[in-house]
Amino acid sequence: MYVYDEYDQRIVDQRVTQFRGQTERFLAGKLTEAEFLPLRLQNGLYIQRLAPMLRIAVPYGLLSSNKLRKLAHITRVYDKGYAHVSTRQNIQLNWPRLEEVPDILADLASVQMHAIQTSGNCIRNTTTDQYAGVATDELEDPRPYCEIIRQWSTLHPEFAFLPRKFKIAVCGTTEDRAAIYAHDIGVELVANASGEIGCKILAGGGLGRTPVIGAVICEWLDKKHLLTYLEAILRVYNQNGRRDNKFKARIKILVKAMGVDAFREAVEQEWAALKDGPSTLTEQEIERAKSFFTDPPYVALDGDAAGESLRLQGEQDPIFGNWVRRNTLEHRVPGYRIVNVSLKATGFAPGDITDSQLDLVAELADLYSFGEVRTTHQQNLVLADVQADQLYALWQRLQAAGLATPNHGYLTDIICCPGGDYCSLANAKSIPVAEAIQARFDDLDYLYDLGPIELNISGCMNACGHHHIGHIGILGVDKKGQEFYQVCLGGSQAKDASIGKILGPSFSQEDMPGIIERILQTYLDLRDEEETFLDTYRRVGIEPFKERVYAKAD
Amino acid sequence: MPRLIKHGAIVEDDWLPAQEDGAGDAHILTLEQWTQRADKQGLAVQLEPGQAPSPLFDVLQEIPLVAINFPVFTDGRGFSYGRELRERGFAGELRACGHILPDQMTYLRRCGFDAFQLADESRLEEALAGLADFDEYYQASIDQPLPLFRRRG
Ligand code: SF4
């Protein structure tokens, strides 16, 4: 994990001091509401429906046990004893008091954390694959590049007041787990014809009101040019992105309006002036960044033997065996497994975690996973480096704390934004819909029979719950002051990314579990043997689903 | 006399502000006025958001002052304009004016601005202090052309 030196610490500390001053000036009436708003947003502070909400940055989803403990402490002291993992791998507090936010930021800074640029019209937290560094299908670890981008984008003097928010994702794997096609900029580590690894650059992807799949701007870029190239894209966007209409202000609209070729040309033109300048990455800097993401001291293990004893343990305790099958994944190092810690227990808001659970996960990370934890955009946690022969002990502790729901990747592993319960932008509540669906489909055998299904819920067009790219997406809409839900099908965030299609007229909240049931039944009736939901949908199209869902009850 | 921050101090302005009609050589000219002048030597010009600085690039040596207006502080186009002017060798006064906040001073300075004319003069002291909010940065910028990674020990 990246460790701050005196420079990083100084920058973050100075930011805390600056924000303390801003808060004081605001409370003293020296900064207007309208002026304080963008300033506090750039420190992650929203004013929500019920209280402020503070979004804490978790750069590319990586946390250490001491950071988790500090978060537990913060939720206890300044909040109501729980936090929320967001779909951007950040951590949100729902009940901080405005006057105390500077103190919270100071506490965070003491463990090398901050809330810089977690909101506002600036470059946001860079995200990546939650299995970076341990995935079996990885070409190169993306985290050093995420850290390089994090530093470059932190308090960038030119890009703090962009037309709109700006999100960058990086991936280095065959399977895209970072949804790079749905970001303002996507960076994929790819090999060129001679086998050298460089960056493929996508731009103009995004969800929200007008979902768009990003276009390839550069097929292969030498890594040393990464920052100057990003800078050129941002410069074109900062100067030309629309500022007259917030719904047309994202870079995707600019790329569409200019056309991909003209946009690329404008970028190349800007880049010509920046290329090979001082921001060109040095070999030394890339190596320095890489040095923070080296392998932990893995023990040499016999992978086959470990797999066999795990199988036997699973036979003796089928509940454990099932959890291993569902919530753990193959690790690139023999004898190790990747563990998903589920934050999707029925009856709890997806992604919520209590202070004592945070402390527990910190302890388990120290005991079993080299003290590191990751947050995922599916709103779960990951212990990435667990020895197979320690899984049983780990599982018992997780199970006792309600963190072992064996639904990873299945229907009830719902991605869900905070919605109308917390968010002032919401059209409708999202958490109760998620909870009702989880309650309706709590039969695990049925879930497993359905196979992998991603169900995503957003409370409004802003699409924080990524509903467009869920296999099943649910969007809260407002119909004459009433909360309704629109359903879309067939979205995907994988490399074959697609945007879901709207099924038809929206439904009431009570109807939602029944509607989902009809959709699932349609799939079960139509699927060919091994087909997943998405396969079937892609083969048969939306019509059969439409017919069944809107059929008059007979 | 309007006041502004220049070279780290609050001073009185030697220029008259831009105005639509009857602007003389002592005024800062709008881009339209400036474009119409045949002899541009010694004339100051003000850019608005949406007026990219490229028309100035060929005559940068003749311009003593470029003012960049921020009608609202959230419109960040001027940051790029300032930086582009400096990158192309503009050495005169680069002034940010309008609705700029004390909290933006470091960003502006780093993009090459050396004069700051806040519409709300009562905030000049705060703005002066704002120039010192940060003294270390990651990126290359006009006032520190080397990014931190080239300076780290
Ligand atoms: S999708 Fe809408 S309702 Fe949900 S968190 Fe985002 S802004 Fe709020």
Side-chain angles (χ1 to χ4, degrees):
Chain A
M1 167 170 305
Y2 185 71
V3 179
Y4 285 9
D5 64 8
E6 71 216 72
Y7 295 105
D8 304 286
Q9 192 65 52
R10 177 127 123 237
I11 291 168
V12 168
D13 288 344
Q14 291 186 344
R15 178 59 152 187
V16 174
T17 306
Q18 186 194 39
F19 187 70
R20 197 179 286 284
Q22 288 167 353
T23 308
E24 282 164 8
R25 279 158 57 220
F26 171 67
L27 292 172
K30 288 188 188 168
L31 264 178
T32 67
E33 184 91 50
E35 289 170 338
F36 187 49
L37 180 113
L39 302 178
R40 64 170 162 73
L41 286 179
Q42 301 216 356
N43 268 297
L45 186 63
Y46 284 80
I47 304 294
Q48 294 281 59
R49 206 153 259 200
L50 305 161
M53 184 271 277
L54 180 67
R55 187 180 291 149
I56 297 163
V58 182
Y60 38 94
L62 214 52
L63 285 165
S64 57
S65 53
N66 72 316
K67 292 179 182 178
L68 272 190
R69 288 197 182 90
K70 183 61 82 175
L71 288 169
H73 167 82
I74 288 172
T75 61
R76 241 182 333 260
V77 174
Y78 301 102
D79 208 288
K80 295 192 176 177
Y82 65 96
H84 174 80
V85 175
S86 83
T87 55
R88 289 205 54 75
Q89 299 180 285
N90 289 321
I91 299 241
Q92 297 180 178
L93 299 180
N94 283 315
W95 310 95
R97 293 176 51 225
L98 174 60
E99 309 83 85
E100 291 182 340
V101 171
D103 295 335
I104 298 176
L105 295 181
D107 269 15
L108 288 171
S110 74
V111 291
Q112 313 195 343
M113 292 184 78
H114 59 74
I116 296 171
Q117 289 164 216
T118 52
S119 181
N121 296 335
C122 49
I123 305 173
R124 303 288 190 86
N125 184 24
T126 300
T127 49
T128 190
D129 179 8
Q130 65 260 34
Y131 307 137
V134 294
T136 50
D137 64 339
E138 190 168 274
L139 188 63
E140 190 181 332
D141 190 339
R143 292 171 301 175
Y145 306 98
C146 291
E147 177 56 28
I148 285 170
I149 295 172
R150 182 192 76 81
Q151 297 194 13
W152 163 78
S153 60
T154 297
L155 307 181
H156 195 296
E158 195 178 339
F159 306 130
F161 297 91
L162 296 170
R164 200 78 176 82
K165 59 188 167 185
F166 202 92
K167 301 177 179 182
I168 303 176
V170 186
C171 90
T173 44
T174 325
E175 189 196 328
D176 172 19
R177 283 178 294 265
I180 58 169
Y181 282 84
H183 281 76
D184 295 287
I185 292 181
V187 178
E188 184 184 352
L189 297 169
V190 291
N192 65 6
S194 52
E196 192 186 343
I197 297 175
C199 306
K200 179 174 176 174
I201 310 280
L202 314 162
L207 301 173
R209 212 160 266 254
T210 325
V212 182
I213 302 289
V216 179
I217 301 299
C218 177
E219 285 289 353
W220 190 92
L221 180 76
D222 190 318
K223 287 172 191 167
K224 69 180 181 190
H225 296 311
L226 179 61
L227 294 186
T228 52
Y229 202 86
L230 294 182
E231 195 135 334
I233 296 178
L234 263 299
R235 225 174 229 196
V236 170
Y237 172 56
N238 188 37
Q239 296 192 48
N240 303 299
R242 282 182 65 173
R243 289 173 186 267
D244 58 332
N245 180 343
K246 112 176 212 201
F247 299 114
K248 299 201 184 306
R250 294 289 289 267
I251 193 176
K252 62 192 173 187
I253 306 288
L254 178 67
V255 174
K256 273 234 155 125
M258 290 176 76
V260 176
D261 292 331
F263 178 80
R264 182 184 300 116
E265 212 168 286
V267 170
E268 294 279 331
Q269 209 176 334
E270 279 290 348
W271 188 47
L274 299 166
K275 189 173 178 239
D276 298 320
S279 298
T280 306
L281 288 168
T282 56
E283 201 52 49
Q284 199 189 358
E285 172 62 1
I286 295 177
E287 287 310 315
R288 191 185 92 91
K290 282 185 181 172
S291 72
F292 292 100
F293 303 96
T294 52
D295 277 358
Y298 292 122
V299 184
L301 297 166
D302 179 342
D304 292 340
E308 183 53 22
S309 50
L310 205 53
R311 201 183 57 73
L312 288 174
Q313 273 180 316
E315 269 175 18
Q316 276 162 14
D317 188 338
I319 300 181
F320 168 68
N322 182 49
W323 174 80
V324 170
R325 231 173 103 199
R326 310 301 172 183
N327 283 27
T328 77
L329 287 142
E330 200 184 334
H331 193 288
R332 107 187 129 69
V333 176
Y336 282 83
R337 301 285 293 177
I338 302 169
V339 173
N340 274 281
V341 177
S342 171
L343 303 183
K344 305 294 174 65
T346 302
F348 294 91
D352 275 10
I353 182 163
T354 66
D355 59 335
S356 52
Q357 286 175 327
L358 283 164
D359 275 332
L360 175 77
V361 175
E363 184 197 336
L364 297 176
D366 282 338
L367 283 173
Y368 301 115
S369 198
F370 302 103
E372 277 189 17
V373 180
R374 300 154 184 229
T375 52
T376 77
H377 77 268
Q378 288 100 338
Q379 303 175 289
N380 292 312
L381 298 179
V382 165
L383 295 170
D385 300 286
V386 182
Q387 258 174 254
D389 58 3
Q390 299 187 325
L391 282 174
Y392 196 79
L394 169 63
W395 169 73
Q396 286 180 310
R397 302 285 306 274
L398 289 174
Q399 177 87 330
L403 295 169
T405 314
N407 60 353
H408 180 66
Y410 294 97
L411 181 74
T412 54
D413 189 8
I414 296 172
I415 292 181
C416 179
C417 81
D421 291 295
Y422 297 104
C423 174
S424 49
L425 302 170
N427 284 327
K429 292 195 172 69
S430 50
I431 294 170
V433 176
E435 286 175 344
I437 293 171
Q438 285 174 330
R440 169 76 66 105
F441 302 100
D442 66 347
D443 175 353
L444 286 171
D445 289 330
Y446 180 72
L447 288 186
Y448 301 150
D449 181 42
L450 289 170
I453 297 186
E454 293 168 13
L455 192 152
N456 300 359
I457 310 178
S458 304
C460 79
M461 276 294 189
N462 286 316
C464 303
H466 301 172
H467 64 278
H468 299 296
I469 51 172
H471 301 161
I472 300 176
I474 299 176
L475 166 68
V477 292
D478 177 277
K479 277 212 293 201
K480 301 193 189 105
Q482 298 255 43
E483 299 188 358
F484 275 84
Y485 298 87
Q486 194 177 69
V487 174
C488 56
L489 298 182
S492 162
Q493 57 145 336
K495 275 212 181 121
D496 59 349
S498 53
I499 303 290
K501 255 197 189 154
I502 296 171
L503 187 64
S506 51
F507 310 98
S508 71
Q509 189 175 318
E510 311 80 75
D511 287 343
M512 283 313 296
I515 297 301
I516 299 301
E517 194 159 14
R518 285 194 189 189
I519 292 169
L520 297 173
Q521 200 49 52
T522 311
Y523 154 62
L524 290 176
D525 292 347
L526 295 178
R527 79 168 160 194
D528 286 342
E529 260 161 79
E530 291 294 300
E531 270 184 344
T532 63
F533 177 83
L534 193 61
D535 293 337
T536 302
Y537 171 85
R538 285 184 172 164
R539 179 170 55 78
V540 304
I542 201 161
E543 282 310 319
F545 291 95
K546 228 180 216 172
E547 275 164 30
R548 292 279 289 273
V549 168
Y550 293 100
K552 291 269 174 301
D554 37 34
Chain B
M1 264 279 185
R3 295 183 305 152
L4 74 164
I5 295 172
K6 216 149 97 173
H7 305 124
I10 298 172
V11 297
E12 298 204 330
D13 196 359
D14 346 304
W15 290 89
L16 295 171
Q19 61 182 50
E20 285 302 324
D21 299 310
D25 286 2
H27 286 91
I28 301 172
L29 302 179
T30 64
L31 183 60
E32 292 78 9
Q33 292 162 348
W34 180 85
T35 309
Q36 283 161 11
R37 298 292 189 94
D39 178 10
K40 295 182 164 46
Q41 186 65 44
L43 296 179
V45 57
Q46 176 164 318
L47 300 177
E48 302 294 328
Q51 295 179 334
S54 41
L56 279 54
F57 288 165
D58 289 338
V59 288
L60 289 177
Q61 312 313 326
E62 298 178 13
I63 310 176
L65 160 72
V66 177
I68 293 178
N69 190 28
F70 293 81
V72 284
F73 77 102
T74 47
D75 188 331
R77 282 177 276 192
F79 292 90
S80 287
Y81 296 165
R83 200 163 169 185
E84 289 201 329
L85 283 164
R86 288 296 193 213
E87 282 173 359
R88 283 171 175 75
F90 176 62
E93 177 182 328
L94 184 60
R95 178 186 295 192
C97 58
H99 186 203
I100 48 179
L101 300 186
D103 317 86
Q104 294 176 302
M105 296 296 284
T106 322
Y107 287 149
L108 288 166
R109 167 167 57 79
R110 300 189 56 211
C111 287
F113 291 88
D114 54 6
F116 312 89
Q117 189 161 39
L118 282 70
D120 180 355
E121 277 194 21
S122 72
R123 287 174 166 179
L124 279 174
E125 297 287 346
E126 274 177 21
L128 195 57
L131 277 173
D133 277 355
F134 293 92
D135 61 12
E136 193 50 83
Y137 334 99
Y138 287 116
Q139 311 78 7
S141 60
I142 299 302
D143 66 343
Q144 174 47 274
L146 292 182
L148 182 57
F149 67 79
R150 287 184 187 269
R151 293 182 284 116
R152 265 185 163 122

